[in-house]
Amino acid sequence: MRPARLTVLTAAAAVAALTAVTGCAEKSDKSGSGAIQVKATDTACEVSKTEFPAGKVTIEVENKGSKVTELYVLFPDDRIVAERENIGPGTKATITAEIKAGDYAFTCKPGMKGDGIRTQVKATGKGGTEKRSPELDAAVASYRKYVQEQADETLPKAKAFADAVKAGDLEAAKKAYAPSRIGWERTEPVAESFGDIDPKVDVREDGLEAGQDPAKDWTGWHRLEKSLFQENKIDDNDKKLADTLIADLTEWQKKVGQAEITPTSMANGAKELLDEVATGKVTGEEERYSHTDLVDFKANVEGAQKSYELLKTVTAKNDPELAKQLDTQFAAMNTLLDKYRADKNTYEFTSYDKVGEAERKELSDAVSALGEPLSKLAAAVVK
């Protein structure tokens, strides 16, 4: 779940955001790597090149601010080309993406809230249109099929959850809640790429924008989670929210086939899923009322592993040591998660409020151990 809503700026807001960017004129590439350098602060998003050749693009981000930030590369309609979340103060991140010729926006989001600070950029030339290898074409086709299958399988599970809510059956709704989220969690980066669907269905209360009223503007799974598991009730508004959830998920199901999917977006998406685990599931923040965090955790790992497995043939050819590391760390991660369920064939995990601090630290360490090599996957597949 992205912490906050990413909305389309009006023309006036876009001008204001660009005006707020200090020092956004083109700067020389001091690293000499050919990468686009982005310096993010609490008030600025400085980009070293506002025009660059289309094709394989490396973006090196440095957070010089005091707040955790994110970087998005956006199409004009706000669909996401590439992103990297949770870039801490004083840290750096590298993003490898395939960008076709056209106009885009680099957007820094200090504090991970609001519309962010945008810099308009242009990719030129014919790069990014080259024919891929048959292996990568097959990987993209298979992943596109996978995300559609996950959406198709999620809808009936979500309807079962919504039907229980509308029937006022509290226990049935609680039982159906976590299973209804599995397909979404496996493929969340694709859902997030559409911008407006994720905040409708998966935002937490603290992810609402300034000025939004939780009583009126908060929708989706987590609003219902709070009613079911903390307030222990179902009222008429919850029943309406259940219908809204299904309408929004149906929109997601229809849009999945339109997603922009490339080998690098698959690889970056796998890393994003691990970032979701690190910032929401391990901390217990994501499912703070139901404590079903380990269900989401497992689904995120499965989605990341699916992307890697589809890209593994090329990864092993281009960087055999990286493939070996990823095989090892995915196996270790899955073995660790299996400790928290009695049956490997079910999604009945230990309630996360029963998981102690030492065990949470072990899970966090495993996520870090997997996330480090996973961050190199995008660069490996386009060597």
Side-chain angles (χ1 to χ4, degrees), residues 67-81:
K67 302 175 183 178
V68 177
T69 195
E70 302 170 332
L71 178 75
Y72 297 91
V73 181
L74 302 175
F75 286 107
D77 63 1
D78 266 20
R79 285 179 299 124
I80 297 171
V81 181

Side-chain angles (χ1 to χ4, degrees), residues 324-367:
K324 182 179 178 180
Q325 290 176 24
L326 286 169
D327 286 341
T328 299
Q329 295 303 331
F330 269 118
M333 185 81 263
N334 286 313
T335 297
L336 182 56
L337 283 171
D338 284 342
K339 290 171 53 178
Y340 297 94
R341 57 178 177 173
D343 185 343
K344 294 180 182 180
N345 297 315
T346 73
Y347 267 79
E348 295 179 6
F349 283 84
T350 302
S351 180
Y352 205 57
D353 58 335
K354 308 299 183 186
V355 178
E357 288 303 316
E359 289 78 14
R360 292 189 183 199
K361 174 66 164 55
E362 184 181 28
L363 287 163
S364 179
D365 289 346
V367 171

